[in-house]
Amino acid sequence: MARVLAIIKGTWRLAVLACAVVLAVCLDLAFPPDIPAPGEGMAVTVVDREGSPLRVFPDDRGIWRYPVTLEEVSPIYIEALLAYEDRWFYRHPGVNPLAMARALADAIRHGRIVSGGSTLTMQVARILHPHRRTVAGKIGQMLRALQLERRLTKEEILTLYLNHAPFGGTVEGVQAASLTYLGKPAAELTHAEAALLAVLPQAPSRYRPDLHPDRAVTARNKVIRRLVGFGRWEPWQGEEARDEPLAVQSWKPPFRAPLLARRLRRACPGQGVIQTPIDPSLQAGLADLAVNLKGELPSGTSVAFLVVENDTGLVRGYKGSMDFFDEGRFGHVDMVRAVRSPGSTLKPFLYAVALDEGLIHSESLLMDSPLSIGGYTPLNFTRHFSGPVSAADALVRSLNVPAVDLLDRVGPVRFDSLLRQAGIHLRYPEGGEPNLAMVLGGVGTTLEELVAGFSAFARGGRVMPLGRLSQARGTETQVLSEGAAWIIRRILETPERNRNRRGRFGMRSNRKLAWKTGTSYGFRDAWAVGITDTHTLGVWVGRPDGTPLPGHYGAVTAVPILFQVADRLPPATPKGSVMPASVSRETVCWPLGVSSSDTEPGHCHVKRTAWVLNDTIPPTFASGREDTIMAPNPLVVSVNPDNGKGLYGPCLDRWLATHPDRPHIPTRTIARWPAGAIAFLPPWIRDRSRFPDPDLTCLAGEAPLSAPITIHGTRDGAVLKDPLKPGQPLTVELCATGGSGPLHWMIDHTWVSRSRDGVSARITFPTPGRHTLTVMDASGRYADLSVVVR
């Protein structure tokens, strides 16, 4: 009987135990622990290339957690944490009975809970499921700890603690705490810093090192003594750790690239840590520069900087506005991405494609004189005309007229296509399309696109898109030949340009910088884009609301800033400039434009040394649109032996017909300059290229094809003055007749007015003294005279 009762009793116990197990399993399944997935609940943190935060976006509750793995935390910290908080972490099942017994004894002795006896697993359980400090709460915490141990490995539990432990204020997780208080990642903690962060979660508000440094040091030293006592740290390590001063920084949310961070957060939804290639030292330098400029530039003005590494195409510096928090300067507007008029910054691409198409070499003779194409009449920024200029000079001086002439020959559609290949997607006014105004800024683009495109001049004509500003390399696109890119960069980094600026702006003497400026219509945008051996950089200055900024333009405002950005680039050893095999150096002659070896000495009025691409030396353009080049040039002119005048066209035929006994007549061979150049040439060249006056006797009363231009209302050598306004600018009304089409008036080669045949023009002389007054039509015919203004 006793045996039966024993069996029944044992069976009952097993049944109770089985029911308890079943109940525990059911409760475990019914009420599983809330275990966050990796990265869940983390703040969005945008970091530089070294992992330091550029900007943090807290979660909905304002909490900043920076995700970190066990391998990304210093072993010193892990050792301090486990030795101080839970030495038996890897041995207990989530609850330490000995620690709980000690905590219970302390509670009985003091009549309240004095020490929790919590394991790290229990602390994680309380973080995930907060509860009151009661016996019931503690029991629930223990049960949750057992649930975690059944579902997770020890490493996973420890990782949850590393990412969710409270460290004071809105900071949770050891990585966020290390960056917030110590300014370094958790992988670089010293023994003293590891001890501080190990104890801080025990009482985050009481031990916060930025608010209560004395308490923090006392708690830290307690941890150090305990680890030395446990034999985990050597005595000398503990002594050094106790002597280490508490170097804690005040918590300030990082705002080192706020606009870039905002942009990437929107582009990468759901990503906790967004890695960027930003160089922290360069970014800090750009921020300091923006602070300095804030006191120098007018109110409402903003700036934008972008720096790209040539070898990789990675963005190393990004400053989208002058001050993110300055509403008066629209600091929240990212001007790196804003669509603005680029001014003249597109001209290098135009000259490069003209080189590739064999239209020019670096010293091709171009004309900077009044021009009208289909009713479009461009003017230079200064309204001054220079006459004959080389392609290199026209580009360096950013002359508008030669650029428009060249674009007309390249073709606006072809040019737009090239720019798109380079990543520059031009925005036209509604209903607009590629046109001649595009090269002068009559379109829209962004600083980001300009800098990416300009990198082609440093990368052998290849462009790499910036993409999402990530660490990944993009796909290269060859948009220019290596030779054309090399020649254009060489033109833009001539020693004279750098030498003239270096003394004023302090750029390092060993760094070469090729640069181009741009100014939009109405002084709304000032640009400067530069190229060094290592980086391509861009600067924009203006008012984001589009308000004009009179007196501020690329060469005056943006270029000095560009040189200051260049000074903040990382030091680099200068690279040798290797000339591509497709480029050669040749001596050419003006006005023909071809090699001096192929030019008769008498036809070589001016010698220039040119960069030539693919051994192509194209002749000088004609002034008219009916011919691509000046053909024939030089021109053979027949001369009437009786009066020395030229016989042209039908007059030559008529003269031969009336003089059958004189079949051979003298000739002159003349190297022709473009028609618009004559008024700008010095007298000795003008004489060498002058055509004999036409012999018009053969016309027998017929009107000449076009009348010469004549100025009416004054004469050569006249003295002009206004007795009623002495010393003031003098305005007179003058008239010109002859020529064809609109007539352009210039004072000392600076455009002042326009009129038509027989219609008066108001001409204002800005200063007293001797001036040259010129009137010219679009074909180059002109008249000039000298006057004295008093």
Side-chain angles (χ1 to χ4, degrees):
M1 188 66 180
R3 184 175 181 181
V4 172
L5 291 175
I7 292 174
I8 294 173
K9 188 176 181 179
T11 302
W12 178 81
R13 289 176 178 174
L14 289 175
V16 171
L17 180 59
C19 289
V21 170
V22 170
L23 179 61
V25 171
C26 291
L27 289 174
D28 179 52
L29 295 175
F31 302 98
D34 185 11
I35 302 175
E40 181 183 346
M42 296 293 157
V44 176
T45 305
V46 182
V47 301
D48 60 31
R49 68 178 183 182
E50 296 179 0
S52 297
L54 294 171
R55 184 178 178 183
V56 175
F57 298 90
D59 65 12
D60 296 338
R61 296 185 297 118
I63 301 298
W64 179 32
R65 298 188 191 95
Y66 188 115
V68 69
T69 64
L70 195 59
E71 293 75 19
E72 294 171 331
V73 178
S74 169
I76 300 176
Y77 171 77
I78 302 298
E79 183 180 44
L81 175 67
L82 295 180
Y84 184 74
E85 288 286 355
D86 193 351
R87 286 185 292 164
W88 310 105
F89 174 70
Y90 283 101
R91 298 183 183 180
H92 62 64
V95 177
N96 188 337
L98 295 178
M100 295 304 302
R102 184 188 68 248
L104 179 61
D106 290 341
I108 295 174
R109 186 180 309 112
H110 295 89
R112 58 185 175 86
I113 297 178
V114 177
S115 60
S118 297
T119 64
L120 275 180
T121 308
M122 292 173 62
Q123 293 184 45
V124 171
R126 184 175 181 180
I127 291 171
L128 300 180
H129 299 274
H131 63 81
R132 294 183 178 181
R133 293 177 63 87
T134 62
V135 173
K138 181 63 69 174
I139 293 174
Q141 181 183 2
M142 295 167 62
L143 293 175
R144 288 295 188 187
L146 294 174
Q147 286 183 303
L148 292 176
E149 291 280 350
R150 194 179 74 82
R151 286 171 168 80
L152 303 175
T153 66
K154 290 290 187 179
E155 288 73 18
E156 290 172 332
I157 293 171
L158 184 55
T159 300
L160 283 173
Y161 181 89
L162 296 178
N163 282 282
H164 293 270
F167 283 86
T170 59
V171 179
E172 293 186 1
V174 65
Q175 185 77 312
S178 183
L179 292 168
T180 299
Y181 300 125
L182 305 175
K184 62 168 64 175
E188 301 175 5
L189 297 176
T190 65
H191 286 77
E193 293 165 343
L196 172 67
L197 296 186
V199 73
L200 185 54
Q202 281 196 349
S205 299
R206 179 177 176 80
Y207 294 155
R208 269 188 64 169
D210 58 331
L211 300 179
H212 308 291
D214 293 339
R215 296 176 188 171
V217 169
T218 300
R220 179 198 71 177
N221 292 343
K222 177 182 177 182
V223 176
I224 295 172
R225 287 193 299 271
R226 181 170 296 184
L227 265 74
V228 173
F230 290 158
R232 296 297 181 90
W233 290 355
E234 297 293 335
W236 65 269
Q237 292 176 320
E239 184 177 351
E240 285 186 353
R242 285 191 297 270
D243 292 341
E244 183 176 310
L246 185 66
V248 173
Q249 60 184 19
S250 297
W251 163 237
K252 292 182 180 179
F255 263 82
R256 295 188 293 137
L259 293 171
L260 171 63
R262 184 184 69 186
R263 171 182 178 176
L264 292 179
R265 181 196 184 196
R266 293 171 178 172
C268 307
Q271 190 169 332
V273 177
I274 303 175
Q275 184 81 27
T276 74
I278 293 295
D279 181 333
S281 298
L282 175 59
Q283 189 67 23
L286 297 182
D288 291 341
L289 176 57
V291 170
N292 296 337
L293 293 173
K294 191 173 182 179
E296 299 176 7
L297 294 174
S299 61
T301 306
S302 189
V303 296
F305 313 136
L306 185 66
V307 180
V308 174
E309 190 174 68
N310 293 333
D311 288 344
T312 63
L314 297 176
V315 174
R316 297 304 188 189
Y318 189 114
K319 184 71 176 167
S321 68
M322 182 174 285
D323 183 350
F324 182 82
F325 298 102
D326 192 333
E327 295 183 1
R329 297 179 187 268
F330 299 89
H332 62 283
V333 179
D334 187 354
M335 298 309 298
V336 169
R337 306 179 70 193
V339 177
R340 310 288 290 204
S341 166
S344 295
T345 56
L346 302 178
K347 288 176 181 174
F349 298 96
L350 173 63
Y351 284 83
V353 71
L355 281 165
D356 274 334
E357 293 190 357
L359 295 176
I360 61 171
H361 49 69
S362 71
E363 297 300 314
S364 285
L365 172 56
L366 303 181
M367 282 309 306
D368 181 33
S369 61
L371 175 70
S372 181
I373 304 176
Y376 179 57
T377 305
L379 289 175
N380 291 318
F381 182 77
T382 62
R383 294 179 172 248
H384 182 83
F385 292 107
S386 300
V389 294
S390 70
D393 289 340
L395 175 56
V396 167
R397 296 165 58 189
S398 198
L399 300 176
N400 290 342
V401 176
V404 171
D405 185 15
L406 196 57
L407 177 59
D408 183 53
R409 300 174 191 277
V410 169
V413 174
R414 167 78 177 91
F415 186 50
D416 177 84
S417 175
L418 169 88
L419 292 175
R420 288 184 179 276
Q421 293 179 51
I424 302 175
H425 300 275
L426 301 182
R427 287 76 161 177
Y428 296 90
E430 186 175 355
E433 58 185 13
N435 55 69
L436 296 179
M438 61 193 294
V439 76
L440 305 186
V443 289
T445 188
T446 67
L447 179 62
E448 180 176 320
E449 292 181 354
L450 276 179
V451 171
F454 264 81
S455 68
F457 297 112
R459 310 183 74 252
R462 300 182 304 278
V463 169
M464 183 182 296
L466 304 187
R468 283 167 41 180
L469 310 174
S470 67
Q471 293 282 16
R473 291 179 66 92
T475 302
E476 292 184 333
T477 302
Q478 189 83 39
V479 296
L480 302 170
S481 71
E482 181 184 12
W486 187 91
I487 291 174
I488 295 300
R489 180 179 172 186
R490 185 82 174 187
I491 291 172
L492 295 178
E493 69 176 13
T494 54
E496 291 75 13
R497 286 161 63 84
N498 286 326
R499 182 167 58 248
N500 291 341
R501 303 287 173 171
R502 186 176 299 128
R504 294 176 58 192
F505 310 134
M507 196 182 79
R508 296 188 183 99
S509 59
N510 66 339
R511 192 190 300 278
K512 287 185 177 182
L513 181 67
W515 50 275
K516 182 69 186 74
T517 63
T519 308
S520 66
Y521 178 77
F523 298 97
R524 289 175 170 81
D525 307 274
W527 304 83
V529 186
I531 308 149
T532 72
D533 286 340
T534 56
H535 296 81
T536 301
L537 44 151
V539 170
W540 172 89
V541 184
R543 290 190 171 116
D545 62 355
T547 305
L549 202 61
H552 290 269
Y553 49 94
V556 168
T557 305
V559 167
I561 299 174
L562 181 76
F563 274 69
Q564 294 180 69
V565 172
D567 275 344
R568 285 161 172 78
L569 295 177
T573 302
K575 298 180 181 178
S577 180
V578 180
M579 186 171 68
S582 59
V583 177
S584 59
R585 202 80 160 128
E586 299 287 345
T587 301
V588 298
C589 286
W590 285 4
L592 303 184
V594 296
S595 172
S596 61
S597 62
D598 296 330
T599 305
E600 293 290 337
H603 298 157
C604 190
H605 301 170
V606 177
K607 285 187 177 182
R608 311 281 293 210
T609 304
W611 297 109
V612 173
L613 182 62
N614 298 324
D615 297 322
T616 301
I617 309 179
T620 301
F621 292 132
S623 296
R625 283 298 176 274
E626 67 280 0
D627 298 319
T628 303
I629 59 175
M630 293 174 62
N633 194 19
L635 180 67
V636 179
V637 178
S638 298
V639 178
N640 187 335
D642 297 329
N643 56 23
K645 293 187 176 183
L647 296 171
Y648 304 98
C651 286
L652 175 59
D653 296 334
R654 294 181 185 181
W655 191 89
L656 291 173
T658 57
H659 297 79
D661 57 328
R662 303 172 69 179
H664 301 290
I665 61 175
T667 60
R668 286 182 55 189
T669 304
I670 300 172
R672 295 193 294 168
W673 287 78
I678 305 300
F680 299 87
L681 295 175
W684 67 272
I685 293 182
R686 192 181 301 182
D687 291 340
R688 293 179 65 179
S689 58
R690 187 185 303 277
F691 281 66
D693 293 334
D695 186 349
L696 302 180
T697 57
C698 67
L699 296 179
E702 298 177 24
L705 297 178
S706 61
I709 298 177
T710 304
I711 299 175
H712 304 277
T714 187
R715 58 179 175 78
D716 190 45
V719 177
L720 307 178
K721 61 181 178 180
D722 185 347
L724 300 180
K725 298 179 180 179
Q728 298 295 317
L730 174 66
T731 300
V732 297
E733 287 197 7
L734 301 174
C735 173
T737 57
S740 60
L743 301 174
H744 299 271
W745 295 81
M746 294 175 281
I747 297 176
D748 301 326
H749 296 160
T750 297
W751 187 93
V752 292
S753 186
R754 181 170 59 181
S755 67
R756 302 194 70 84
D757 184 5
V759 179
S760 296
R762 291 178 60 84
I763 308 299
T764 299
F765 293 88
T767 60
R770 184 174 295 277
H771 297 281
T772 299
L773 179 65
T774 307
V775 59
M776 179 182 293
D777 67 8
S779 67
R781 284 187 292 266
Y782 75 98
D784 61 3
L785 49 81
S786 177
V787 296
V788 176
V789 176
R790 292 181 180 173

